[in-house]
Amino acid sequence: PGGPRPPGEGGGVVGLLRRLGRVEDSRQRAAELFRWLVAPVAPGEFLGRHWERAPLLVRRGDPGYYAGLFSTADFDAALRGGEVHFGTHLDVTSYAEGVRETHNPSGRALPAVVWDFYQNGCSLRLLSPQAFSPTVWHFLSILQEHFGSMAGANTYLTPPGTQGFAPHYDDIEAFVLQLEGKKHWRVYSPRTDAEVLPQFSSANLTQAELGEPMLETVLEAGDLLYFPRGFIHQGDCLPDAHSLHITVSSYQRNSWGDFLEKLLPAALQMALEEDVEYRQGLPMDYLGYMGVTNSDAVDARRTAFMGKVQSLIKKLVNYAPIDAAVDQRAKSFLHDCLPPVLTQSEKAQSMYGFPARWQDGGPCDVDILITKDTQVRLLRHGIIRLCNEEAGVMLYYTTENSRVYHKEEPKFLEIDPEYTDSIEFLLSSYPNHISVDTLPCETLEDKISLATLLFEKGILTTKKPLVQV
């Protein structure tokens, strides 16, 4: 993305997304978008020096770097669309003389009311702009595949000379993209070891609790500020300019500890089922020598008890269904995902551009005619996940998700176990097309019916449009 642009591509985010649309592999597309996000810092350097470690400030001196991603005009258009509601989609906030307040009325956030709040010095936080902006949706839907964790966003519009939020730290990795105007930021190191990479966000903090900032800067349009979770931050507007920024976030509850929270109960369950040692009774007299009251006593029985607990915990590793627990996390990530945004050519090659319609008094071009020679591939690498569950083999997918977080239930197909090899073959062949005939199913009929099912769910695309219109 850093190189010279083909003529007519356009700059900013719109041109970037158009160029990325021509990258065949969605994983590479995601990596390229991330490279653009932190440029000119190389992704490897960012991961080695900054990710989960230290803030990064990128001053680009290029006010048009994020052009087309989101603007105050887009904010206004969202309000005029009439679907923005106070509290659900929009927060009206202020922070003055150490007091942080939320001023949300109830009901729809209509322009006259919202802009009146803004004129009176209130900040506006639009939650999940991806629900209102196709460009933000497109941007995040690509980026989420790079993080392997939900990529979310909020936009913040702050009037000149005001501050909308008290100092606090978050439970997410934050990328602040300055879209318009400028904002004065102060970032502070975590105060204690317990606040390094915290699991949960902090309450609002007072200025007295802060100490000196480790980083103080004025962000201008085109600049980037990244800080890890646990870094306290506050931003305020200078008297001469408004500020619009978008915070792109990821890695909420995506730590080793969060993984073990899923894995350990499952490991214990397996151990209880398979190993009698976990089912044997505790010593009859253990209450007499164990417990806090006895913690200072020197007693061989205590030593034996501790040893036994340690050996049972160590042995638990052998029963840990690590891959199955990873699949469960993948399944919940797929539920968090934004649905993919299709290019014009992808639409034409998928269910979404299929020309079935009413014409001349009846339905026309209805049949999906996939044959053994039809060339197919997955729409994106990251849109499906196979999970072996008690009820059977489930294929989870993102193509029918909503732009609104968890508005839809998790989407899945129950798959005949005989089809798992074919699903794995589609994943390993991506981004290449394969002919339906090469799917490792028993019969041609199976191959065609699996391909048709996946095509109907928007998971598979064909090399050429199925119907020439």
Side-chain angles (χ1 to χ4, degrees), residues 222-264:
D223 293 349
L224 169 76
L225 174 62
Y226 158 81
F227 43 85
R229 51 197 192 279
F231 279 73
I232 297 164
H233 51 278
Q234 57 180 332
D236 61 280
C237 262
L238 304 169
D240 59 336
H242 77 274
S243 165
L244 177 70
H245 79 261
I246 186 167
T247 299
V248 173
S249 63
S250 194
Y251 261 63
Q252 188 176 45
R253 303 299 307 268
N254 199 40
S255 68
W256 286 105
D258 295 307
F259 174 59
L260 290 175
E261 230 171 42
K262 272 266 186 286
L263 178 64
L264 292 178

Coordinates of all heavy atoms in Angstrom, one line a residue, residues 222-264:
G222 N -4.4 12.6 10.5 CA -3.5 11.7 9.9 C -2.5 11.0 10.9 O -1.8 10.1 10.5
D223 N -2.5 11.5 12.1 CA -1.6 10.9 13.1 C -2.2 9.7 13.8 O -3.4 9.5 13.7 CB -1.2 11.9 14.2 CG -0.4 13.1 13.7 OD1 0.1 13.0 12.6 OD2 -0.2 14.1 14.4
L224 N -1.4 8.9 14.4 CA -1.8 7.7 15.1 C -1.2 7.6 16.5 O 0.0 8.0 16.7 CB -1.3 6.4 14.4 CG -1.4 5.1 15.1 CD1 -2.9 4.6 15.1 CD2 -0.5 4.0 14.5
L225 N -2.0 7.3 17.5 CA -1.5 7.0 18.8 C -2.0 5.6 19.3 O -3.2 5.4 19.3 CB -2.0 8.1 19.8 CG -1.7 7.9 21.3 CD1 -0.1 7.9 21.5 CD2 -2.3 9.0 22.2
Y226 N -1.0 4.8 19.6 CA -1.4 3.4 20.1 C -1.0 3.3 21.6 O 0.1 3.8 22.0 CB -0.6 2.3 19.3 CG -0.5 1.0 20.1 CD1 -1.6 0.1 20.2 CD2 0.6 0.7 20.8 CE1 -1.5 -1.0 20.9 CE2 0.7 -0.5 21.6 CZ -0.4 -1.3 21.6 OH -0.3 -2.5 22.3
F227 N -1.9 2.8 22.4 CA -1.4 2.4 23.8 C -2.1 1.1 24.2 O -3.2 0.8 23.9 CB -1.7 3.6 24.8 CG -3.0 4.2 24.7 CD1 -4.1 3.7 25.3 CD2 -3.2 5.4 24.0 CE1 -5.4 4.3 25.2 CE2 -4.4 6.0 23.8 CZ -5.5 5.4 24.5
P228 N -1.3 0.3 25.0 CA -1.8 -1.0 25.4 C -2.8 -0.8 26.6 O -2.9 0.3 27.2 CB -0.5 -1.7 26.0 CG 0.6 -0.9 25.5 CD 0.1 0.5 25.4
R229 N -3.6 -1.9 26.8 CA -4.5 -1.8 28.0 C -3.7 -1.6 29.2 O -2.6 -2.0 29.4 CB -5.3 -3.1 28.0 CG -4.6 -4.4 27.9 CD -5.5 -5.6 27.6 NE -4.9 -6.9 27.8 CZ -4.1 -7.5 26.9 NH1 -3.8 -6.9 25.8 NH2 -3.7 -8.7 27.2
G230 N -4.3 -0.9 30.2 CA -3.7 -0.6 31.4 C -2.9 0.8 31.4 O -2.6 1.3 32.5
F231 N -2.7 1.4 30.3 CA -2.1 2.7 30.2 C -3.2 3.7 30.4 O -4.1 3.8 29.6 CB -1.3 2.9 28.9 CG 0.1 2.3 28.9 CD1 0.2 0.9 28.8 CD2 1.2 3.1 29.1 CE1 1.5 0.4 28.9 CE2 2.5 2.6 29.1 CZ 2.6 1.2 29.0
I232 N -3.1 4.5 31.5 CA -4.1 5.6 31.7 C -3.9 6.7 30.7 O -2.8 7.0 30.3 CB -3.9 6.2 33.1 CG1 -4.1 5.1 34.2 CG2 -4.8 7.3 33.4 CD1 -3.5 5.4 35.6
H233 N -5.0 7.3 30.2 CA -5.0 8.3 29.2 C -6.1 9.3 29.4 O -7.1 9.0 30.0 CB -5.0 7.7 27.8 CG -6.2 6.7 27.7 ND1 -6.2 5.4 28.1 CD2 -7.5 6.9 27.2 CE1 -7.3 4.8 27.9 NE2 -8.1 5.7 27.3
Q234 N -5.8 10.5 28.9 CA -6.9 11.5 28.8 C -6.6 12.4 27.6 O -5.4 12.7 27.3 CB -7.0 12.3 30.1 CG -5.8 13.0 30.6 CD -6.0 13.8 31.9 OE1 -7.1 14.2 32.2 NE2 -4.9 13.9 32.7
G235 N -7.6 12.9 27.0 CA -7.5 13.8 25.8 C -8.4 15.0 26.0 O -9.5 14.8 26.4
D236 N -7.9 16.1 25.6 CA -8.7 17.3 25.7 C -8.4 18.2 24.4 O -7.4 18.1 23.8 CB -8.5 18.2 26.9 CG -7.0 18.6 27.0 OD1 -6.1 17.8 27.4 OD2 -6.8 19.8 26.7
C237 N -9.4 19.0 24.1 CA -9.3 19.8 22.9 C -8.7 21.2 23.2 O -8.9 21.8 24.2 CB -10.7 20.1 22.3 SG -11.1 18.9 21.0
L238 N -7.9 21.6 22.2 CA -7.3 23.0 22.3 C -8.4 24.0 22.0 O -9.4 23.6 21.4 CB -6.1 23.1 21.3 CG -5.1 22.0 21.5 CD1 -4.1 21.9 20.4 CD2 -4.3 22.2 22.8
P239 N -8.2 25.2 22.4 CA -9.3 26.2 22.3 C -9.6 26.5 20.8 O -10.7 27.0 20.5 CB -8.8 27.5 23.0 CG -7.4 27.2 23.4 CD -7.1 25.7 23.3
D240 N -8.6 26.2 19.9 CA -8.8 26.7 18.5 C -9.4 25.6 17.5 O -9.5 25.9 16.3 CB -7.5 27.3 18.0 CG -6.4 26.2 18.0 OD1 -6.5 25.3 18.8 OD2 -5.4 26.4 17.2
A241 N -9.7 24.4 18.0 CA -10.1 23.4 17.0 C -10.9 22.3 17.6 O -10.6 21.9 18.7 CB -8.9 22.8 16.3
H242 N -11.9 21.8 16.9 CA -12.6 20.6 17.3 C -11.8 19.4 17.1 O -10.7 19.5 16.4 CB -14.0 20.5 16.6 CG -13.9 20.0 15.2 ND1 -13.6 20.8 14.1 CD2 -13.9 18.7 14.7 CE1 -13.5 20.1 13.0 NE2 -13.7 18.8 13.3
S243 N -12.2 18.3 17.6 CA -11.4 17.0 17.3 C -12.4 15.9 17.0 O -13.4 15.7 17.7 CB -10.6 16.6 18.5 OG -10.2 15.3 18.4
L244 N -12.1 15.2 15.9 CA -12.8 13.9 15.6 C -11.8 12.8 15.5 O -10.8 12.9 14.7 CB -13.6 14.1 14.3 CG -14.3 12.8 13.9 CD1 -15.5 12.5 14.8 CD2 -14.8 12.9 12.4
H245 N -11.9 11.8 16.4 CA -11.0 10.7 16.2 C -11.8 9.4 16.3 O -13.0 9.4 16.8 CB -9.9 10.7 17.2 CG -10.2 10.2 18.6 ND1 -10.5 11.1 19.6 CD2 -10.3 9.0 19.1 CE1 -10.8 10.4 20.7 NE2 -10.7 9.1 20.5
I246 N -11.2 8.3 15.8 CA -11.8 7.0 15.9 C -10.8 6.1 16.7 O -9.6 6.2 16.4 CB -12.2 6.4 14.5 CG1 -13.0 5.0 14.7 CG2 -11.0 6.2 13.6 CD1 -13.6 4.6 13.4
T247 N -11.3 5.4 17.6 CA -10.5 4.5 18.4 C -10.8 3.1 17.9 O -11.9 2.6 18.0 CB -10.7 4.6 19.9 OG1 -10.3 5.9 20.3 CG2 -9.8 3.6 20.6
V248 N -9.8 2.4 17.3 CA -10.0 1.0 16.8 C -9.4 0.1 17.9 O -8.3 0.4 18.4 CB -9.2 0.8 15.5 CG1 -9.2 -0.7 15.1 CG2 -9.9 1.6 14.4
S249 N -10.2 -0.9 18.3 CA -9.7 -1.6 19.5 C -9.8 -3.1 19.2 O -10.5 -3.6 18.4 CB -10.6 -1.3 20.7 OG -12.0 -1.7 20.4
S250 N -8.9 -3.9 20.0 CA -9.0 -5.3 19.9 C -8.4 -5.9 21.1 O -8.0 -5.2 22.0 CB -8.2 -5.8 18.6 OG -8.5 -7.2 18.4
Y251 N -8.4 -7.3 21.2 CA -7.8 -8.0 22.3 C -8.5 -7.8 23.6 O -7.8 -7.9 24.7 CB -6.3 -7.7 22.4 CG -5.5 -8.8 21.7 CD1 -5.7 -9.0 20.3 CD2 -4.6 -9.6 22.4 CE1 -5.0 -10.0 19.7 CE2 -4.0 -10.7 21.7 CZ -4.1 -10.8 20.4 OH -3.5 -11.8 19.7
Q252 N -9.8 -7.7 23.6 CA -10.5 -7.7 24.9 C -10.7 -9.2 25.3 O -11.1 -10.0 24.6 CB -11.9 -7.1 24.7 CG -12.7 -6.9 26.0 CD -14.0 -6.1 25.8 OE1 -14.7 -6.4 24.9 NE2 -14.3 -5.1 26.6
R253 N -10.3 -9.5 26.6 CA -10.4 -10.8 27.1 C -9.8 -11.9 26.1 O -10.5 -12.8 25.8 CB -11.8 -11.2 27.5 CG -12.5 -10.2 28.4 CD -11.9 -10.1 29.8 NE -11.7 -11.4 30.5 CZ -12.6 -11.9 31.4 NH1 -13.7 -11.3 31.6 NH2 -12.3 -13.1 32.0
N254 N -8.6 -11.6 25.7 CA -8.0 -12.6 24.7 C -6.6 -13.0 25.2 O -5.7 -13.1 24.4 CB -7.9 -11.9 23.4 CG -7.7 -12.8 22.2 OD1 -8.3 -13.9 22.2 ND2 -6.8 -12.5 21.3
S255 N -6.5 -13.2 26.5 CA -5.2 -13.6 27.1 C -5.1 -15.1 27.4 O -6.0 -15.8 27.3 CB -5.0 -12.8 28.5 OG -6.0 -13.4 29.4
W256 N -3.9 -15.5 27.7 CA -3.7 -16.9 28.1 C -4.6 -17.3 29.3 O -5.2 -18.4 29.3 CB -2.2 -17.1 28.6 CG -1.2 -17.1 27.4 CD1 -0.4 -16.1 27.1 CD2 -1.0 -18.2 26.5 NE1 0.3 -16.5 26.0 CE2 0.0 -17.8 25.6 CE3 -1.6 -19.5 26.3 CZ2 0.4 -18.6 24.6 CZ3 -1.2 -20.3 25.3 CH2 -0.2 -19.9 24.4
G257 N -4.8 -16.3 30.2 CA -5.7 -16.6 31.4 C -7.1 -16.8 30.9 O -7.8 -17.7 31.4
D258 N -7.5 -16.0 29.9 CA -8.9 -16.2 29.4 C -9.0 -17.6 28.7 O -10.1 -18.2 28.8 CB -9.3 -15.1 28.4 CG -9.3 -13.7 29.1 OD1 -10.0 -13.6 30.1 OD2 -8.6 -12.8 28.7
F259 N -8.0 -18.0 28.0 CA -8.0 -19.3 27.4 C -8.0 -20.4 28.4 O -8.8 -21.4 28.3 CB -6.7 -19.4 26.5 CG -6.5 -20.8 25.9 CD1 -7.5 -21.3 25.1 CD2 -5.4 -21.6 26.1 CE1 -7.4 -22.6 24.5 CE2 -5.2 -22.8 25.6 CZ -6.2 -23.3 24.7
L260 N -7.2 -20.3 29.5 CA -7.2 -21.3 30.5 C -8.6 -21.4 31.3 O -8.9 -22.5 31.7 CB -6.1 -21.1 31.5 CG -4.7 -21.3 30.9 CD1 -3.6 -20.9 31.9 CD2 -4.5 -22.8 30.5
E261 N -9.3 -20.3 31.3 CA -10.6 -20.3 32.0 C -11.5 -21.3 31.3 O -12.4 -21.9 31.9 CB -11.2 -18.9 31.9 CG -11.7 -18.3 33.2 CD -12.0 -16.8 33.1 OE1 -12.6 -16.4 32.1 OE2 -11.7 -16.1 34.0
K262 N -11.4 -21.4 30.0 CA -12.2 -22.4 29.2 C -11.6 -23.8 29.3 O -12.3 -24.8 29.4 CB -12.2 -22.0 27.7 CG -13.3 -21.0 27.3 CD -14.5 -21.8 26.8 CE -15.6 -20.8 26.2 NZ -16.3 -20.1 27.3
L263 N -10.2 -23.8 29.2 CA -9.6 -25.1 29.1 C -9.6 -25.9 30.4 O -9.8 -27.1 30.4 CB -8.1 -24.9 28.7 CG -7.2 -26.1 28.5 CD1 -7.8 -27.0 27.4 CD2 -5.8 -25.8 28.3
L264 N -9.3 -25.3 31.5 CA -9.1 -26.1 32.8 C -10.4 -26.8 33.2 O -10.3 -28.0 33.6 CB -8.5 -25.2 33.9 CG -7.1 -24.7 33.6 CD1 -6.6 -23.8 34.7 CD2 -6.1 -25.9 33.5

